[in-house]
Amino acid sequence: MPDKASAWGDLSARLISAVVMLAVVALALMSGSLGWSLFVLAVTLVMFWELAALCEPGIATVRRISLTFAPLLLPAALAVALTGGLGVPPPQEAETGLMAGRVLAGAAAGLGLAVLAGVVNLRSGRWIWAGYAPMVLIGALFLVYALREFGVVGVAILVAIVAISDILGYFAGRLLGGPKFWPRVSPKKTWSGTVAGWIGAGLFGALVFAGQGAALPGAAAAIGLAFAGQMGDIAESAIKRRAGVKDASALIPGHGGFLDRLDALVAAAALAGILTFIHLVWIA
């Protein structure tokens, strides 16, 4: 039976870091679209800095910096796509279709360039970069888009789904214990905690969308996003295990790095972004 003190030893650090991060995120959200976009970009750059070292432990500083700024290729490609490459707006009668096509082309080009930068620049962990970097970028894009389209409430709902899943998973896993979800990759994650996260997220989703007569779809979507977040957490654990490190970095005092705290959120946001894009294409 695990020692109770060790089982709850990281609780205070989790609570403190959660309060601080929520305060910072709240300030960024209240600063408007530009402030939020710059905040998301800054956090994405930090996560890329951490990811580069996880892919290739001991990577040279110059190459690590070049990979850190790879995400800037995405907004640059989008800017070119949105202006048609020459700063000329599309014809009015075809504006919607052309704009959607240009956004898609720019996003694909930016994602491709960012992935290519890692594949060419890294000496190891290239496929990790190729898989994880696009997820981070898509998640970041959706978080920027979500504030513009759904407002602060929309972003808060996504964050709440991930937070509820994580919090309930943490407490249920330590209180109930039981079989491990994927012991080779994440020794601490249990099935009891995983399922508790799904239940909590599902109930929250049902409650949020009950007023719109969409309690069941809301619950299903929330469970899907919670599961995506859990898989993002497990994927980052696997990457750290390969690199032989406990944390992605030490940027958050006593509690690891930004990837450690945001792995679940970016994974859930990436899934939300993909589903939103499919929905927009479907109704177009």
Side-chain angles (χ1 to χ4, degrees), residues 18 26 68 72 74 77 81 114 126 144 156 185 198 212 228 235 263 268 271 275:
T68 296
L72 293 179
L74 181 55
R126 294 185 179 92
V144 171
V185 176
W198 296 345
Q212 303 172 26
D263 50 6
L271 177 61
L275 293 177

Side-chain angles (χ1 to χ4, degrees), residues 14-74:
R14 278 177 172 263
L15 290 175
I16 293 171
S17 65
V19 170
V20 172
M21 285 189 293
L22 282 174
V24 173
V25 169
L27 288 174
L29 281 170
M30 297 304 174
S31 66
S33 293
L34 178 58
W36 175 246
S37 299
L38 292 174
F39 172 75
V40 171
L41 175 60
V43 171
T44 303
L45 293 177
V46 173
M47 287 191 288
F48 266 59
W49 171 265
E50 296 173 340
L51 182 61
L54 291 177
C55 289
E56 184 185 325
I59 186 173
T61 302
V62 173
R63 290 194 295 119
R64 188 177 184 184
I65 290 174
S66 69
L67 286 176
T68 296
F69 287 93
L72 293 179
L73 297 170
L74 181 55

